[in-house]
Amino acid sequence: MSNTEQFIDAVESVARGGTAMDPQVVAKLLTRGDARGRTAELSPREREVLSLIAAGRSNVAIAQQLMISASAVTKDIASIFGKLHLPESVDDNRRVLAVLAHLHR
């Protein structure tokens, strides 16, 4: 995907009420770790998947970008949730909480 396509995707996501973050910025934030050290438990691919989640990408888009199956992305996300101690909840969005867990200091 070209930079122009990524930019258009980000603008459209924001226009729909979503968010967009540059994956490189998120990656730098994730590599710094957090106060509880939870990011250290994530594998490099899990960190990459999480940075793409933070950029607003869907599971299918993540799979395409990383050239892996959608089921592999689903497994990585489940592992991320487990390592970050984010249980299922009807009240919370674990994708958002996973990103926030890495960004809070």
Side-chain angles (χ1 to χ4, degrees):
M1 181 179 287
S2 73
N3 286 342
T4 302
E5 290 171 321
Q6 288 176 334
F7 176 75
I8 291 169
D9 284 347
V11 169
E12 289 173 347
S13 176
V14 171
R16 290 188 305 269
T19 60
M21 292 183 68
D22 185 285
Q24 293 175 335
V25 172
V26 174
K28 288 187 186 275
L29 289 169
L30 294 177
T31 58
R32 291 185 348 198
D34 67 18
R36 291 171 244 166
R38 293 183 291 172
T39 56
E41 296 180 32
L42 299 179
S43 71
R45 186 161 95 184
E46 290 167 343
R47 289 178 199 193
E48 190 170 16
V49 168
L50 186 52
S51 72
L52 291 169
I53 291 170
R57 308 303 293 169
S58 69
N59 288 11
V60 172
I62 293 169
Q64 290 172 343
Q65 185 163 342
L66 299 180
M67 293 185 274
I68 59 177
S69 69
S71 64
V73 173
T74 300
K75 289 177 186 174
D76 286 333
I77 292 171
S79 180
I80 291 166
F81 293 159
K83 290 178 180 179
L84 296 178
H85 310 290
L86 298 172
E88 283 193 53
S89 168
V90 296
D91 297 324
D92 300 314
N93 184 318
R94 293 189 298 169
R95 289 173 78 96
V96 172
L97 293 175
V99 172
L100 292 174
H102 290 289
L103 299 177
H104 284 144
R105 299 278 177 254

